[in-house]
Amino acid sequence: MKRIVIATGLLAISFTAAPAATLDTVKQRGALVCGVSAGFAGFSTPDSQGNYKGLDVDYCRALAAGVLGDPSKVRYVALTAQNRFTALQSGEIDVLYRNSTQTYLRGATLGLRQGPINFYDGQGFLVKRDSGVKELKDLKGATVCVAQGTTHEVTLGDYGRSNGIDWKPLVFDRTDTMYQTFFGGRCDVMTQDASALAGAVTTAAPNPADYVVLPQTISKEPLGPFTRNGDEAWSDIITWLHYGLVEAEELGVTSANADEMARSGAPATQRLLGTAGDLGSRLGLDNKWMLQAIKAGGNYAEIFERNVGKASPMKLDRGLNATWNKGGLMYALPFK
Ligand SMILES: N[C@@H](CCC(=O)N[C@@H](CS)C(=O)NCC(=O)O)C(=O)O
C-alpha cells in the first residue's frame, strides 16, 4: 500500500533579511523613518497642524538628532497594533517606537530585536465612576472593550479563566471605534495599557471626571523599541540612545544646560556628550551624537514630564519609570 505522508505542522515563515546597514540607509536618505502609533495621547499623536508629539515621538526626534544632527528629519509612519511588526520586517520603517510590549514570543518569533524599555506599564481597566466597580472581581459578566492584535487580548482571557471572571470581550481592530463604543456606554469596562487609558480619558471622554482607572493591573507591559535582526550596529544605536537619555538625567544634563556641561562637566559627563573620548565614533556616529540628541528634547525626565508627567494632561507618576536611585527601574549602562 502506498504510504501517503501529509506534512502538517507549522507553516515556516521566513523573513527576508532586510538590508543590514540601516544607519547607512538613514544617512543616505537624510531622514529617519519611524513607526509610531496613529493616536495615543502622550506617546504619539498628531497636533492640529499634523505634527506628531509624544514620548515615543521624542525618541524618534532624539534618534534623528543623534544620527543626522536634526530632530526634524523624521518621516512618521502611523501603524496599528496589527500591522506594526510587518512594517518593520518589510523594511518600510527603520525602527518601531509604538507603545509595543516586549515579550518572549515577539522576541523569539518575529525576526526582530527588542531594545531597552522606555516605559514600564501594566494592563489596566477603566470604568465609569458611578458604576460602583472598585476592583476586578466586581466585573463578573462584564462586557470588556479590548483591542485586537495586542497583548491585552490574550492576558484578559488568561486572567478571566484563572480567576473565575466570565467577562465578555468585545474586540476592536480600531482604537478610535473602541473609544467611541466604550464612551458611548456599550462596554462596562475598557482594558489597555494603563498609560493608554489615562490618555483615552484626556482625549476621548465626554467628561473625564466621570471615569476612573482601577488601581489594579494584571500584567507587566514593558514598552520599548523594536529593530530588525541582523543589524547589530543599528540596534546598538537604539540601545545606547535610551541609556544616554537616562544617563543624562542621572548626571543632571538637560536640554538647557547640555552645551555648558559639554564644555565644563565632569569626565563622565563629557564622555557622554562627546567632548572627551570618542564614544560616538565607535557606533559610526558623531562623537557629539548624544549632545545633539539631548538638546533636541531633553533627558529622559524631561521627555517623561513633558509628555505624560504631572505637568501634562496625563499626570502620570514616574513610578517604575523613575531612575534606579530614586526607586524606579531606569538604569543606564555606563558610558565608558
Ligand atoms: N502594549 C500593547 C498594546 C499596544 C497597542 O496597540 N495599544 C492600542 C490600544 S490598546 C493602541 O495604542 N492603539 C492606538 C492605535 O491603534 O493607533 C501591545 O504591545 O500589544
Side-chain angles (χ1 to χ4, degrees):
M1 214 213 283
K2 220 160 138 201
R3 197 160 156 257
I4 303 173
V5 179
I6 302 174
T8 57
L10 289 177
L11 183 71
I13 303 172
S14 71
F15 299 110
T16 338
T22 308
L23 177 60
D24 293 341
T25 310
V26 170
K27 282 181 175 168
Q28 273 154 24
R29 197 196 289 123
L32 171 75
V33 183
C34 217
V36 295
S37 165
F40 174 13
F43 283 75
S44 156
T45 194
D47 67 12
S48 51
Q49 273 92 53
N51 299 314
Y52 276 89
K53 293 261 156 61
L55 184 143
D56 279 338
V57 169
D58 278 347
Y59 271 77
C60 301
R61 288 173 50 80
L63 182 59
V67 170
L68 299 168
D70 183 344
S72 69
K73 294 265 161 53
V74 184
R75 187 156 62 74
Y76 295 95
V77 176
L79 299 167
T80 64
Q82 306 263 57
N83 68 11
R84 57 185 147 170
F85 298 121
T86 8
L88 184 58
Q89 288 157 349
S90 70
E92 186 189 347
I93 58 172
D94 299 318
V95 58
L96 179 72
Y97 279 112
R98 191 204 168 282
N99 55 302
S100 293
T101 305
Q102 309 207 340
T103 68
Y104 182 103
L105 282 178
R106 287 177 178 175
T109 65
L110 296 175
L112 301 176
R113 292 288 87 200
Q114 305 183 120
I117 313 306
N118 64 6
F119 193 91
Y120 289 92
D121 213 331
Q123 181 172 345
F125 293 81
L126 182 71
V127 294
K128 268 203 102 175
R129 203 177 280 281
D130 64 9
S131 65
V133 173
K134 293 275 178 280
E135 49 187 330
L136 294 183
K137 64 177 166 47
D138 300 334
L139 285 168
K140 292 201 167 128
T143 302
V144 188
C145 278
V146 60
Q148 198 171 39
T150 61
T151 41
H152 310 142
E153 228 187 320
V154 181
T155 309
L156 184 73
D158 289 352
Y159 189 89
R161 270 187 302 281
S162 44
N163 291 277
I165 304 178
D166 55 340
W167 35 40
K168 297 176 184 55
L170 204 55
V171 181
F172 294 84
D173 61 354
R174 289 182 58 113
T175 314
D176 50 358
T177 326
M178 178 165 84
Y179 290 173
Q180 274 162 22
T181 309
F182 174 73
F183 292 116
R186 280 204 41 231
C187 293
D188 303 304
V189 56
M190 177 162 75
T191 188
Q192 276 187 323
D193 291 328
S195 63
L197 294 175
V201 172
T202 61
T203 54
N207 180 12
D210 290 349
Y211 294 88
V212 60
V213 179
L214 297 180
Q216 199 177 351
T217 51
I218 62 166
S219 69
K220 292 183 285 185
E221 303 288 336
L223 311 182
F226 285 70
T227 48
R228 282 179 288 273
N229 276 353
D231 192 348
E232 288 79 5
W234 181 244
S235 297
D236 282 348
I237 293 170
I238 305 309
T239 299
W240 286 102
L241 174 73
H242 172 71
Y243 290 141
L245 297 172
V246 173
E247 182 82 340
E249 175 179 359
E250 288 188 32
L251 295 172
V253 181
T254 65
S255 50
N257 72 13
D259 277 326
E260 178 52 36
M261 295 284 252
R263 275 192 295 273
S264 58
T269 304
Q270 291 200 330
R271 268 199 309 276
L272 171 71
L273 299 175
T275 38
D278 60 353
L279 296 188
S281 69
R282 310 301 180 101
L283 290 177
L285 301 171
D286 191 295
N287 284 330
K288 297 204 172 129
W289 76 291
M290 276 311 307
L291 174 63
Q292 292 156 7
I294 295 159
K295 281 170 71 175
N299 62 33
Y300 182 77
E302 292 176 273
I303 292 176
F304 185 100
E305 293 304 339
R306 179 171 56 244
N307 294 302
V308 299
K310 289 293 174 204
S312 78
M314 291 184 45
K315 301 200 181 354
L316 299 179
D317 286 324
R318 283 294 290 274
L320 292 179
N321 295 301
T323 50
W324 61 282
N325 49 3
K326 296 197 175 140
L329 296 176
M330 288 297 167
Y331 183 107
L333 273 52
F335 273 69
K336 56 183 169 201

